[in-house]
Amino acid sequence: MGCPHYIDCTRMCIQFFPPVLEHSNFDTCESEDYHDCLAYIVMRKDFKCKYLQRCIEKTITNVPGLTKHIIEDRTAIKIFKDIVEKYCTSEPQHVHCAGYKLFEQGVQPPLGLLPDGKKVRLRDILFKKEIVIE
């Protein structure tokens, strides 16, 4: 059994997250691993930060094409999943996100800014440096 948003060989999640087409393949949609898909995680939550779409677009457009391989890496998936669950889809916690605070001030958050205010570099993810989302 695959993702419930994968209907008749069409990923319904692309209505909400068009970049899924470029950064994911159908293998995840057709397997039990769909539970780790960030689009699936966000879509099943009742609350979503009002800046979530802007954060996604910023990350997708400012990170090189190699990101597809990083995003499909288990370590990277865990990092992004932790961020999404602890901040982006948490009504009480989202206001504590460093990116949210900057957006509220009219400032574009820098790429790699973690919700706790720390910065992460893509090479940290590539080299499996331990990154903890607080």
Side-chain angles (χ1 to χ4, degrees):
M1 172 165 207
C3 177
H5 299 292
Y6 183 60
I7 301 166
D8 296 329
C9 297
T10 303
R11 293 182 277 189
M12 303 307 289
C13 59
I14 63 172
Q15 295 174 25
F16 303 99
F17 301 101
V20 167
L21 280 174
E22 296 174 37
H23 295 281
S24 181
N25 60 38
F26 290 104
D27 294 344
T28 301
C29 305
E30 295 171 338
S31 74
E32 287 299 318
D33 290 340
Y34 75 87
H35 290 96
D36 290 329
C37 173
L38 294 176
Y40 172 78
I41 292 167
V42 170
M43 289 179 70
R44 71 184 173 102
K45 300 288 186 165
D46 291 330
F47 175 82
K48 294 158 193 68
C49 174
K50 66 182 180 180
Y51 298 116
L52 178 63
Q53 198 67 26
R54 286 174 67 183
C55 288
I56 291 169
E57 288 171 11
K58 180 175 176 269
T59 302
I60 298 295
T61 57
N62 290 310
V63 179
L66 183 61
T67 305
K68 179 183 185 302
H69 301 289
I70 296 169
I71 289 175
E72 292 174 351
D73 173 78
R74 287 279 167 216
T75 302
I77 288 172
K78 182 184 179 337
I79 292 166
F80 292 120
K81 186 176 176 182
D82 286 349
I83 290 171
V84 165
E85 290 182 334
K86 290 180 181 177
Y87 290 93
C88 308
T89 59
S90 169
E91 192 165 5
Q93 279 296 110
H94 82 284
V95 295
H96 301 291
C97 173
Y100 175 88
K101 290 175 184 177
L102 288 174
F103 275 126
E104 285 290 290
Q105 296 171 14
V107 177
Q108 183 75 15
L111 188 63
L113 179 68
L114 293 175
D116 62 4
K118 295 178 187 171
K119 289 199 71 167
V120 66
R121 297 173 303 229
L122 288 177
R123 71 174 176 225
D124 294 337
I125 295 171
L126 279 172
F127 294 120
K128 313 278 192 261
K129 180 177 175 184
E130 185 172 339
I131 299 169
V132 179
I133 305 304
E134 297 174 1

